[in-house]
Amino acid sequence: QVQLVESGGGLVQPGGSLRLSCAAAGIITSVSGMGWYRQLPGQQRELVARISRGGSINYADSVKGRFTVTRDNAKNTVYLQMNSLKPEDTAVYYCNADISDSDYRLKNYWGQGTQVTVSS
């Protein structure tokens, strides 16, 4: 009914850049908070960046200054611009959002995940 569609992952060299996109699709009443999380190999899933509908942003310390999260409310889409990528950024990146569906029920959704690999 409602799903988050991710794109933009891939293989990049250290120091390179990638831009991830995540669009909420389906019958949607509203989208509140949106953000990005990642799961490093052998690690627990962790916050990367989250942005409220009004534009308030939280970044993980490990990505602050290198990553930028933005959103387009008209498109129900959140983006993650990743610059100066490091091998330690290698992870599966997951989109996450709080969405009110056709029944006006606020639910939390996860994207399917997209692999980001930083390697020479």
Side-chain angles (χ1 to χ4, degrees), residues 25 32 42 51 71 75 77 81 108-109 118 120:
S32 55
I51 181 169
R71 66 186 289 169
K75 297 180 179 180
T77 300
Q81 179 66 47
N108 187 257
Y109 293 86
V118 185
S120 59

Side-chain angles (χ1 to χ4, degrees), residues 33-38 46-52 56-64 67-70 78-82 93-97 110:
M34 305 185 79
W36 295 93
Y37 297 73
R38 69 186 182 186
E46 64 183 21
L47 171 72
V48 176
R50 193 165 185 86
I51 181 169
S52 72
S56 180
I57 297 171
N58 292 321
Y59 289 108
D61 289 341
S62 59
V63 306
K64 190 174 183 179
F67 292 9
T68 303
V69 63
T70 57
V78 63
Y79 306 92
L80 185 68
Q81 179 66 47
M82 303 184 292
Y93 284 71
Y94 296 90
C95 181
N96 180 269
W110 288 99

Side-chain angles (χ1 to χ4, degrees), residues 3-25:
Q3 62 182 170
L4 299 176
V5 183
E6 301 181 31
S7 63
L11 175 65
V12 65
Q13 296 184 21
S17 297
L18 285 173
R19 184 176 177 85
L20 306 183
S21 298
C22 173

